[in-house]
Amino acid sequence: MPLKIVAGNWKMNLLFHEAEALIREVIEKSPDNENAPLNIFAVPFPYLNLAQNLTQGTKNFAAAAQNCSSFKSGAYTGEVSASMLASLNIKYCLVGHSERRTIFKENADELVAKMNLLLENHIIPIWCCGESLNERKQNKQFDVIQHQMNTEVFTLTQDLFEKVVIAYEPVWAIGTGLSATAEQAQEIHSFIRKSISKKYSDDTANKTSILYGGSCNVDNSKELFSLKDVDGGLIGGASLKSDSFVKIISTMYELL
Ligand code: PEP
């Protein structure tokens, strides 16, 4: 069975003191035992050490980076390498979030380089994929996602692929308040799992955590997390308040 995961993506939000209070509150109010899902805080770089320290020693919480460099080390001003993340004991990192793809023009080659560097440093990539609104309107979502898989995550060997977490995030649902319907989410998640079966094996497909992201909130998380091929969520806006994030974590906990 795939690991069930609730991950919060803070993006470029919250000041340091707010970050500390939020992590403390979420940990304090959430279930933390062997039956609970894995809960991840994907925080801005300056807060990684804080998030790592606060989650260390818990059973179910971990810190994640939102990005890393596609270069190994050296003269790349402003970049943060996978090995630097590893030196802070970080175990997860988002790769290919649609904001990185669209605003920062990250391409498949860079994303593959990032995933390989992360995996060399024993960090699990949370690889994001998803179609734009225009692509959905033209019914191209399956082709788009297949292409993203073929050129990015499917370039990994089976051994390495098995370490990756996938997040399906329809771009039109991110930050818009417009979530995919249960039917739309299940259809794509099942398509992703079948593609993994074809590329690697049924066993690999059945072990891969596939998260849904895109306006997942307190009201729709139960329906989304109950879907056969949805193994949790990547949560943006609703992860910025302890009340809503704790409720979403509890929703997953009650379904386990
Ligand atoms: C995200 O940015 O990964 C995300 C899912 O955002 P939101 O939940 O705010 O749509």
Side-chain angles (χ1 to χ4, degrees), residues 21-133:
L22 177 55
I23 296 175
R24 283 189 190 283
E25 274 175 45
V26 172
I27 293 178
E28 196 186 297
K29 294 181 189 160
S30 303
D32 188 30
N33 59 53
E34 47 291 340
N35 301 319
L38 170 65
N39 308 305
I40 295 175
F41 299 99
V43 305
F45 288 132
Y47 308 163
L48 276 173
N49 205 26
L50 167 83
Q52 173 54 26
N53 288 337
L54 291 175
T55 53
Q56 199 171 300
T58 65
K59 287 200 178 66
N60 297 95
F61 293 89
Q66 298 174 12
N67 183 30
C68 74
S69 178
S70 55
F71 299 105
K72 200 167 188 161
S73 68
Y76 300 103
T77 302
E79 289 287 275
V80 174
S81 69
S83 60
M84 290 174 183
L85 300 179
S87 73
L88 290 172
N89 260 323
I90 297 302
K91 300 283 183 242
Y92 300 88
C93 181
L94 304 185
V95 174
H97 189 281
S98 69
E99 288 151 18
R100 303 287 328 164
R101 292 173 188 264
T102 46
I103 304 170
F104 300 99
K105 311 285 178 238
E106 290 187 357
N107 62 38
D109 291 346
E110 286 167 310
L111 300 179
V112 169
K114 288 178 188 209
M115 281 192 283
N116 279 299
L117 286 167
L118 288 166
L119 290 161
E120 272 170 34
N121 283 281
H122 309 288
I123 297 171
I124 294 177
I126 303 176
W127 176 78
C128 307
C129 61
E131 79 285 359
S132 68
L133 183 58

Side-chain angles (χ1 to χ4, degrees), residues 9 11 97 99 169 173-176 213-216 234-237:
N9 173 17
K11 314 189 186 196
H97 189 281
E99 288 151 18
E169 297 210 306
I174 296 178
T176 57
S215 298
C216 183
L234 181 54
I235 322 290

Side-chain angles (χ1 to χ4, degrees), residues 151-167:
T151 55
E152 299 173 21
V153 80
F154 282 177
T155 65
L156 298 172
T157 60
Q158 183 162 2
D159 263 15
L160 290 179
F161 177 85
E162 287 187 355
K163 300 186 192 317
V164 173
V165 170
I166 292 185

